[in-house]
Amino acid sequence: MVHDLGGKPGGPVDKAQHEVEDWERLADAITVALDIKGIKTTDEHRRAIEGLENYRGLGYYERWVAGTEQLLVEKGILTREEIDKRAAEISRRWDGT
C-alpha cells in the first residue's frame, strides 16, 4: 500500500521545516472541527486519504483536503459541485479578483 512507503527510493524522507501556509492551517482546522462535531473519525479520514487515486502526486495537506472532500461527498453532506463553487469563491477572495 502506498501509505507504507516510508520515503522515496534512493534517500531518506526530507524532514526540513517549511513555512506553513494559510490554506494548510485551514485544512487542519476543518479536520479538527469535523472530528469534534462527530462528522468524521480519524480512521475514516485515513481510509479516504489512502484510497485517493493520485495519493503519490499530492502533498501532505493536499491529501487531507482531498480526503476530507471525499468523506463529505460520501456522507451526502456536500456535493462536489458545492465544494468546487465555494472553493472558487474563496480563491477569488484570497487572490483579490
Side-chain angles (χ1 to χ4, degrees):
M1 301 189 93
V2 293
H3 60 279
D4 290 331
L5 290 176
K8 295 181 180 179
V13 174
D14 181 10
K15 296 181 182 178
Q17 294 292 326
H18 74 279
E19 189 69 31
V20 179
E21 297 183 30
D22 289 340
W23 73 268
E24 293 171 318
R25 286 184 182 95
L26 182 58
D28 185 55
I30 289 169
T31 300
V32 170
L34 293 174
D35 282 340
I36 291 170
K37 291 289 189 178
I39 294 172
K40 69 159 197 66
T41 67
T42 299
D43 290 336
E44 288 175 321
H45 198 227
R46 182 180 299 121
R47 186 226 7 111
I49 290 170
E50 291 172 356
L52 294 171
E53 290 182 24
N54 57 344
Y55 179 93
R56 290 184 187 179
L58 298 174
Y60 182 77
Y61 281 107
E62 290 172 321
R63 291 176 187 145
W64 277 38
V65 170
T68 300
E69 178 179 334
Q70 179 65 31
L71 283 175
L72 293 173
V73 170
E74 283 178 12
K75 292 177 175 253
I77 295 168
L78 294 171
T79 65
R80 292 207 185 275
E81 293 77 20
E82 291 170 325
I83 293 168
D84 291 344
K85 180 181 177 185
R86 186 68 174 133
E89 292 169 3
I90 291 169
S91 180
R92 281 193 299 275
R93 199 170 352 145
W94 280 9
D95 293 341
T97 58

